[in-house]
Amino acid sequence: MYIKFQVFKLNIPNRGTESALTELREKVLTQKAKSKKVAILALDASAAFDVLDIDLVIKSLEVIGAGSVMLKWATNYLHNCTQYVDINGTLSEQWSCDVGVGQGKPMSVDFFNLGSLSNALWTTISENILYADDGSDIIAGDTEEELNNNIKATAILRSSWFDKAGLTLNAAKSELIGFGVQPEPLVIEGSTIMPKTSFKFLGLTIDHDLKFHNHVDNIAKRMHSAAGHIRAEGRNLATNNRRILFNGWVRSILTSNGLAYLPHLCASQLQKVSAAYNAGIRAIYKLLKKCYAPIAELSKRLNIPSVEQIKDCLLFTEAWKRRHDLTKEYKGPITRGRTNLNVPLPNKSGVNGKRLSTMVCDYWNRLPIHIKRENDQVKAKREIKNMIYRS
């Protein structure tokens, strides 16, 4: 039997929380496009890195074909590993344990991912997105009854994996959310998980309608607060130094997981985000919070892109990354568009129009031919930024 699964690991090049969140949203929309009832179940484990069964990690290494030297090294590394806390040269008492991969150690994430491989294969009822110790199951059914039955079955299977892996289910931090449907409360191991209208996964707040209202409100509030910190803590700094604070305190909030939400915001949401972002630019120049200011001109002086430019840059870059998938296996006449490596646009009606995979086709067609043919990622990103930020 062929089982399709996706595991996101921290050490995969060009993969991160943004990739996992983008994939999660696409999977939900794919099921909705099939007229399915869809929900996400995100079960949380208490202190997962500290209690994961070490033997499970070693066995997973063996299953994927690790040699005897690697197996002995990993066993020696994980068992009886001595740890201590160092605070400015003052050391705590040492301790060791025979469970868990540890927090903050150089190989912690890699070993945890190895131990989680079996979790990805544990059930075929749902589609699973894993990122280190965070995971979500996308569950679907033709009817609400089937959906609720699948949620219960998935929860039981995940809970059984937790138990076998040495983990303890944390129902208080577990989440259940339906998309266009209200799932029944989930009772698992004597605890009840109530369905919510939004939940936070990998730093992104996802609403039941996939419209990111809560996330926009949250980041707008944080950017306004950061602008205030720039005014207070950067009041004696030069303009260029306040720009550095802006990039670290304001722009970073906007761009974190940007591809997962920015392309899907409506005009009013983009306006709210832009207003908060521009508050940071006003803080750089020590302008009044509420007065006319040529923000576009002021931004250009310091090479600060607008929210729209950041969104376009993310989409053009994603289109370039997917170039091989977009252009492969085309069979048809060689038209003017095909000589420019353009691709036919997919159906944009209904749910399909909300998918990132639909949007990137349009952005790919808008890329200049010399960027489409560029194979070096660093050069391609630089060309895309020059195209957008200097326009």
Side-chain angles (χ1 to χ4, degrees):
M1 179 175 63
Y2 172 72
I3 302 173
K4 182 180 179 181
F5 68 100
Q6 183 79 38
V7 180
F8 285 92
K9 293 186 259 185
L10 295 179
N11 59 348
I12 296 180
N14 301 315
R15 293 286 189 178
T17 58
E18 190 176 70
S19 306
L21 289 164
T22 299
E23 185 73 9
L24 181 141
R25 188 178 187 277
E26 291 287 287
K27 288 182 179 297
V28 170
L29 289 175
T30 297
Q31 294 295 341
K32 287 181 69 66
K34 299 175 183 177
S35 299
K36 299 280 189 179
K37 309 295 182 182
V38 190
I40 286 179
L41 175 63
L43 295 180
D44 184 80
S46 300
F49 273 69
D50 294 324
V51 296
L52 181 69
D53 190 333
I54 291 175
D55 292 335
L56 175 61
V57 178
I58 302 302
K59 186 63 178 179
S60 298
L61 265 174
E62 184 180 343
V63 168
I64 65 174
S68 59
V69 174
M70 181 63 200
L71 291 172
K72 289 179 182 178
W73 183 91
T75 302
N76 182 269
Y77 179 89
L78 291 171
H79 283 286
N80 298 315
C81 179
T82 301
Q83 303 174 65
Y84 60 88
V85 177
D86 181 349
I87 302 177
N88 296 327
T90 301
L91 308 183
S92 70
E93 293 183 2
Q94 297 184 0
W95 74 91
S96 64
C97 59
D98 284 330
V99 295
V101 295
Q103 293 278 358
K105 295 195 293 186
M107 297 289 291
S108 295
V109 172
D110 299 282
F111 280 132
F112 189 89
N113 285 331
L114 281 166
S116 299
L117 288 176
S118 56
N119 190 21
L121 295 164
W122 205 249
T123 172
T124 58
I125 299 173
S126 64
E127 295 184 275
N128 189 233
I129 298 292
L130 291 177
Y131 190 93
D133 59 337
D134 291 304
S136 286
D137 282 287
I138 299 96
I139 307 166
D142 291 322
T143 64
E144 290 190 30
E145 182 181 5
E146 183 181 4
L147 173 65
N148 285 311
N149 288 337
N150 287 343
I151 291 172
K152 293 174 185 176
T154 300
I156 291 170
L157 287 167
R158 290 288 172 222
S159 179
S160 71
W161 183 86
F162 281 8
D163 183 62
K164 290 176 174 24
L167 307 181
T168 301
L169 175 67
N170 187 344
K173 290 187 176 181
S174 297
E175 308 273 11
L176 175 62
I177 182 173
F179 299 94
V181 63
Q182 179 76 359
E184 295 175 355
L186 174 64
V187 179
I188 182 75
E189 295 188 357
S191 299
T192 302
I193 302 173
M194 299 298 296
K196 298 181 179 179
T197 56
S198 67
F199 84 112
K200 196 169 186 177
F201 182 57
L202 300 177
L204 181 71
T205 303
I206 301 172
D207 295 335
H208 67 98
D209 57 3
L210 296 175
K211 292 185 178 179
F212 301 108
H213 296 295
N214 286 295
H215 189 70
V216 166
D217 290 343
N218 179 42
I219 64 169
K221 182 178 179 180
R222 289 170 58 199
M223 285 192 286
H224 276 297
S225 177
H229 286 301
I230 293 173
R231 291 181 184 276
E233 299 178 36
R235 60 184 179 276
N236 297 320
L237 299 178
T239 300
N240 281 333
N241 288 331
R242 288 197 297 276
R243 175 182 177 272
I244 294 173
L245 293 180
F246 170 86
N247 285 334
W249 293 352
V250 177
R251 186 172 170 181
S252 63
I253 294 173
L254 177 74
T255 55
S256 177
N257 294 322
L259 186 66
Y261 78 95
L262 274 177
H264 312 296
L265 301 186
C266 64
S268 62
Q269 290 174 321
L270 284 171
Q271 185 177 11
K272 178 179 285 189
V273 170
S274 295
Y277 182 80
N278 292 343
I281 297 173
R282 289 173 178 273
I284 295 175
Y285 286 98
K286 297 183 178 180
L287 297 173
L288 294 176
K289 294 181 181 180
K290 294 184 179 180
C291 69
Y292 169 76
I295 296 296
E297 180 183 334
L298 295 174
S299 300
K300 199 167 185 179
R301 288 182 194 175
L302 295 177
N303 294 320
I304 297 174
S306 67
V307 173
E308 284 285 353
Q309 286 175 321
I310 290 173
K311 182 190 78 170
D312 286 344
C313 187
L314 290 169
L315 282 164
F316 277 121
T317 302
E318 184 66 15
W320 181 87
K321 289 179 180 178
R322 300 189 185 193
R323 65 196 184 282
H324 297 304
D325 291 332
L326 290 172
T327 58
K328 69 180 181 182
E329 296 182 2
Y330 173 78
K331 296 180 181 179
I334 304 301
T335 62
R336 181 183 299 177
R338 289 306 302 169
T339 59
N340 290 326
L341 302 180
N342 288 352
V343 297
L345 295 178
N347 179 15
K348 295 184 179 181
S349 61
V351 174
N352 285 324
K354 301 176 183 178
R355 297 176 62 179
L356 187 67
S357 54
T358 300
M359 297 179 184
V360 295
C361 290
D362 181 47
Y363 274 80
W364 169 259
N365 288 346
R366 290 161 55 190
L367 274 174
I369 187 66
H370 72 278
I371 298 180
K372 290 179 179 177
R373 289 176 173 164
E374 178 58 64
N375 290 318
D376 185 276
Q377 181 170 309
V378 175
K379 291 181 180 178
K381 285 184 175 181
R382 183 171 60 245
E383 290 293 331
I384 290 171
K385 287 182 179 180
N386 289 339
M387 176 184 73
I388 297 171
Y389 295 166
R390 295 181 182 178
S391 60

